[in-house]
């Protein structure tokens, strides 16, 4: 167990882990087990968080794994609902055995009293205390009290959410995110439509399209804003991750078998329909992502799955003052050292919060971060694997960075903020006539970003329309919606 949040001590942690386990056995029950501070609280039960929690428990730390979902796996290993009776969930995922192996190990640690998984516990704030951290969670609007988990150290593995660039018609029913289409398939075993255009930029498009056609959907086109040529600039990085090349070839093979056409350097610039999307206009883009006049072509469809990469979800750490960095794709991620420590003592980060890189990288960083918290030395092979995968993540981000010319497909009446129905014209009026020069001022003048999603959907677009300059980190005092009844109630511990 760490002797302080910033100075792990390898020799002491195993002994203390046995002591807390004996205390649990002596006093009995979950109440006594949770009355003592955990050695480590892991926030997020996706690949990074699950790997971190299991590894930390392996190393003798008393660990709690928190997630807003009711089961482990996060967005990547999303399960079908139990009532659907899915016999082969592995067919919806890559490397399903990696998840089941970690889940089995976590279950064994739970039986031994070394670890605890708390599903339905969504963290809305972190607070520094004399003993480490108070992790404030909400258990949903039906709960009348709030809960606080105490831990000496915290590891953030909160993942990422999709970057959305608006276009005319993007609010029509049938237009979903690329990740949302996969979530519908994995969790509900349903498709967003029968004829689905997949569009945007980033490797998620190929994975989403491959999953959709394998499940029986028609995909008339995968519309990619880049040309994939950016990957060729660093062949050494590609050579270091042969598994990624095999995975990409697998997706490409599935699309070829189903006759799916790839349209590079193109974008969906408008969705058509009244009650539901009935088609899209696809146009060629120049090097800056500006639509090339005269190149628009209509494709009939009843659904669109669109996304322009992922953005790290780091608001919990930002509120504690953690330093950030801007990645090659313009996304803001947490700045960590070689041991995956953030600038906040006692706070570690693993996976997409350090920059989006996929499940393999998240698994490696979760394991490495757990070793760092425990003060244990990881295997050299794991360090090398993380280095190769992180280099590929940086290359991938640079290859799919959005170009500044994407605003050329917007119209004045296009909604930028869907929650508050703020249009492009309203944002530009705030900038050009009212003097707003940054996203925060635009927000105050137009209410863009003040809706249910708190700017997660519209934030990148508003920042781009607000003017030039690198984006700053999102700042949200509450990491998720919390009922006022829970804020007013005293902590349950």
């Amino acid at each position: 167990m760490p002797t302080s949040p910033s100075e792990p001590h390898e020799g002491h942690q195993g002994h203390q882990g046995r002591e807390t386990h004996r205390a649990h056995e002596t006093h009995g029950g979950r109440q006594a087990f949770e009355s003592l501070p955990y050695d480590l609280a892991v926030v997020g039960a996706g690949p990074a968080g699950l790997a971190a929690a299991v590894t930390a428990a392996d190393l003798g730390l008393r660990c709690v794994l928190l997630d807003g979902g009711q089961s482990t796996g996060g967005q990547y290993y999303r399960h079908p609902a139990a009532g659907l009776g899915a016999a082969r969930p592995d067919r919806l995922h890559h490397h399903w055995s990696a998840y089941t192996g970690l889940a089995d190990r976590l279950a064994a640690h739970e039986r031994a009293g070394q670890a605890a998984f708390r599903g339905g516990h969504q963290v809305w704030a972190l607070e520094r205390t004399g003993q480490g951290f108070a992790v404030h969670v909400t258990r949903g609007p039906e709960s009348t009290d709030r809960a606080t988990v105490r831990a000496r150290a915290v590891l953030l593995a909160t993942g990422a959410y999709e970057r959305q660039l608006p276009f005319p018609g993007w609010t029509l029913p049938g237009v979903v995110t690329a990740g949302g289409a996969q979530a519908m398939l994995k969790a509900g075993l349903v498709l967003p439509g029968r004829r689905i255009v997949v569009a945007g930029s980033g490797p998620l498009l190929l994975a989403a399209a491959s999953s959709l056609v394998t499940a029986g959907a028609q995909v008339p086109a995968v519309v990619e804003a880049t040309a994939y040529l950016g990957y060729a600039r660093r062949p050494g990085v590609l050579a270091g991750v042969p598994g990624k090349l095999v995975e990409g070839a697998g997706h490409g093979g599935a699309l070829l078998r189903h006759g799916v056409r790839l349209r590079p350097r193109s974008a969906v610039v408008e969705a058509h329909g009244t009650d539901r999307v009935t088609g899209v206009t696809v146009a060629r883009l120049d090097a800056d992502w500006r639509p090339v006049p005269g190149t628009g072509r209509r494709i009939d469809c009843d659904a669109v799955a669109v996304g322009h990469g992922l953005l790290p979800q780091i608001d919990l750490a930002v509120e504690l003052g953690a330093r950030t960095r801007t990645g090659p794709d313009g996304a803001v991620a947490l700045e960590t050292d070689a041991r995956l420590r953030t600038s906040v003592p006692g706070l570690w980060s693993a996976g997409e919060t350090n920059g989006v890189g996929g499940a393999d990288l998240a698994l490696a960083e979760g394991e490495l971060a757990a070793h760092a918290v425990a003060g244990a030395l990881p295997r050299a092979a794991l360090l090398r694997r993380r280095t190769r995968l992180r280099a590929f993540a940086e290359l991938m981000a640079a290859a799919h960075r959005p170009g500044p010319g994407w605003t050329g497909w917007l119209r004045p009446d296009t909604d930028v903020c869907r929650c508050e129905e703020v249009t492009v014209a309203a944002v530009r009026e705030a900038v050009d006539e009212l003097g707003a020069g940054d996203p925060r001022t635009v927000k105050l003048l137009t209410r863009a970003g003040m809706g249910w999603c708190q700017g997660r959907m519209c934030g990148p677009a508003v920042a781009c329309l607000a003017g030039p300059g690198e984006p700053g980190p999102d700042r949200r005092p509450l990491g998720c919606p919390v009922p006022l009844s829970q804020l007013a109630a005293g902590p349950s511990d």
Side-chain angles (χ1 to χ4, degrees), residues 164-185:
Q164 290 293 293
L165 302 182
F167 52 89
W170 77 307
T171 59
L172 281 170
V175 179
V176 300
T177 66
Q182 284 193 304
M184 293 174 68
L185 179 58

Side-chain angles (χ1 to χ4, degrees), residues 71 339 341 412:
S71 60
R339 302 181 68 195
R341 292 179 297 191

Side-chain angles (χ1 to χ4, degrees), residues 15 24 45 99 105 162 183 201 203 211 214 241 244 275 285 289 334 356 367-368 386 399 406 436 438 450-451 467:
H15 169 75
H24 168 55
Y99 165 72
R105 288 165 61 193
E162 288 189 80
S201 186
S211 298
T214 302
V241 287
K244 293 295 183 183
D275 298 329
L285 302 179
W289 286 32
L334 292 179
V356 173
E367 188 174 342
L368 285 171
R386 187 259 177 175
W406 71 267
D438 60 87
M450 290 189 181

Side-chain angles (χ1 to χ4, degrees), residues 353-405:
T353 46
N354 299 335
V356 173
D360 292 339
L361 177 58
L363 290 168
E365 289 198 342
E367 188 174 342
L368 285 171
H371 277 83
V373 176
L377 292 176
R379 293 174 288 112
L382 183 62
L383 289 168
R384 292 193 296 269
R385 176 173 172 77
R386 187 259 177 175
T387 298
R388 292 194 300 269
L389 289 169
R390 181 52 69 187
F392 177 75
E394 297 291 295
L395 174 62
M396 181 174 64
H400 295 284
R401 181 186 179 103

Side-chain angles (χ1 to χ4, degrees), residues 427 430-431 435-445 462-468:
V427 174
V431 173
D438 60 87
R440 183 177 183 275
T441 305
V442 171
K443 177 179 180 179
L444 294 173
L445 292 173
V462 171
C464 186
L465 292 171

Side-chain angles (χ1 to χ4, degrees), residues 75 159-165 170 176-183 198-201 204-205 208 305-313 356 455-460:
Q75 299 295 326
Y161 55 96
E162 288 189 80
R163 170 166 34 202
Q164 290 293 293
L165 302 182
W170 77 307
V176 300
T177 66
Q182 284 193 304
V198 179
S201 186
L204 181 59
L205 299 189
V306 60
H308 293 86
L310 301 172
L311 300 173
Q313 187 160 323
V356 173
R456 289 181 177 86
M457 292 291 286
C458 67

Side-chain angles (χ1 to χ4, degrees), residues 13-409:
Q13 55 89 12
H15 169 75
Q16 186 65 27
R18 291 191 294 272
E19 289 298 318
T20 54
H21 186 193
R22 282 200 295 270
H24 168 55
E25 292 175 335
T26 301
H27 298 290
R30 175 171 160 180
Q31 183 175 0
F33 181 67
E34 295 192 338
S35 63
L36 297 173
Y38 290 96
D39 299 327
L40 176 66
V42 179
V43 183
L50 186 55
V54 169
T55 303
D58 289 344
L59 295 170
L61 297 185
R62 187 168 166 273
C63 181
V64 62
L65 178 61
L66 304 166
D67 195 275
Q70 295 297 330
S71 60
T72 58
Q75 299 295 326
Y76 188 80
Y77 294 121
R78 184 187 287 268
H79 317 340
L84 295 176
R88 294 291 306 275
D90 55 300
R91 293 185 177 180
L92 301 174
H93 299 82
H94 297 286
H95 310 303
W96 181 248
S97 60
Y99 165 72
T100 56
L102 289 171
D104 289 345
R105 288 165 61 193
L106 178 65
H109 282 305
E110 287 196 276
R111 289 191 296 270
Q114 192 66 34
F117 171 61
R118 298 291 174 253
H121 284 54
Q122 191 163 7
V123 178
W124 59 268
L126 298 176
E127 181 183 358
R128 295 289 307 279
T129 67
Q131 290 185 312
F133 292 87
V135 184
H136 301 295
V137 303
T138 176
R139 289 178 285 188
E142 70 281 356
S143 178
T144 57
D145 65 336
R146 71 173 187 256
T148 299
V149 175
R150 307 286 177 178
R152 294 182 173 87
V154 170
L155 192 153
L156 279 184
T158 45
Y161 55 96
E162 288 189 80
R163 170 166 34 202
Q164 290 293 293
L165 302 182
F167 52 89
W170 77 307
T171 59
L172 281 170
V175 179
V176 300
T177 66
Q182 284 193 304
M184 293 174 68
L185 179 58
K186 290 180 179 180
L189 304 182
V190 296
L191 295 168
R194 299 305 305 175
R195 184 175 169 85
I196 309 166
V197 171
V198 179
S201 186
L204 181 59
L205 299 189
L206 295 181
S210 175
S211 298
L212 293 171
V213 296
T214 302
Q218 295 180 24
V219 177
V222 175
V223 184
E224 164 63 60
T226 64
Y228 295 104
L229 297 178
Y231 289 94
R233 294 171 185 161
R234 299 185 64 187
V237 172
L238 291 177
V241 287
K244 293 295 183 183
L245 299 178
V246 172
E247 184 178 328
H251 293 319
L255 298 181
L256 282 174
R257 288 193 300 273
H258 290 86
V260 177
R261 181 178 178 182
L262 177 64
R263 292 176 175 259
R265 288 213 176 279
S266 301
V268 168
V269 296
E270 185 175 2
H272 308 285
T274 52
D275 298 329
R276 182 180 177 87
V277 62
T278 57
V280 295
T281 294
V282 174
R284 293 278 296 173
L285 302 179
D286 65 16
D288 290 326
W289 286 32
R290 294 183 182 87
V292 177
T295 62
R297 298 290 184 272
R298 177 167 173 142
I299 300 177
D300 292 333
C301 61
D302 61 2
V304 183
V306 60
H308 293 86
L310 301 172
L311 300 173
Q313 187 160 323
I314 60 174
D315 33 13
L316 292 173
V318 169
E319 284 303 304
L320 285 177
R323 288 197 293 268
T324 61
R325 68 179 183 94
T326 301
D329 58 349
V332 180
L334 292 179
E335 178 184 298
T336 59
D337 64 12
R339 302 181 68 195
L340 300 177
R341 292 179 297 191
T342 72
S343 60
V344 177
L347 181 66
W348 277 260
S349 171
E352 314 288 52
T353 46
N354 299 335
V356 173
D360 292 339
L361 177 58
L363 290 168
E365 289 198 342
E367 188 174 342
L368 285 171
H371 277 83
V373 176
L377 292 176
R379 293 174 288 112
L382 183 62
L383 289 168
R384 292 193 296 269
R385 176 173 172 77
R386 187 259 177 175
T387 298
R388 292 194 300 269
L389 289 169
R390 181 52 69 187
F392 177 75
E394 297 291 295
L395 174 62
M396 181 174 64
H400 295 284
R401 181 186 179 103
W406 71 267
T407 57
W409 65 57

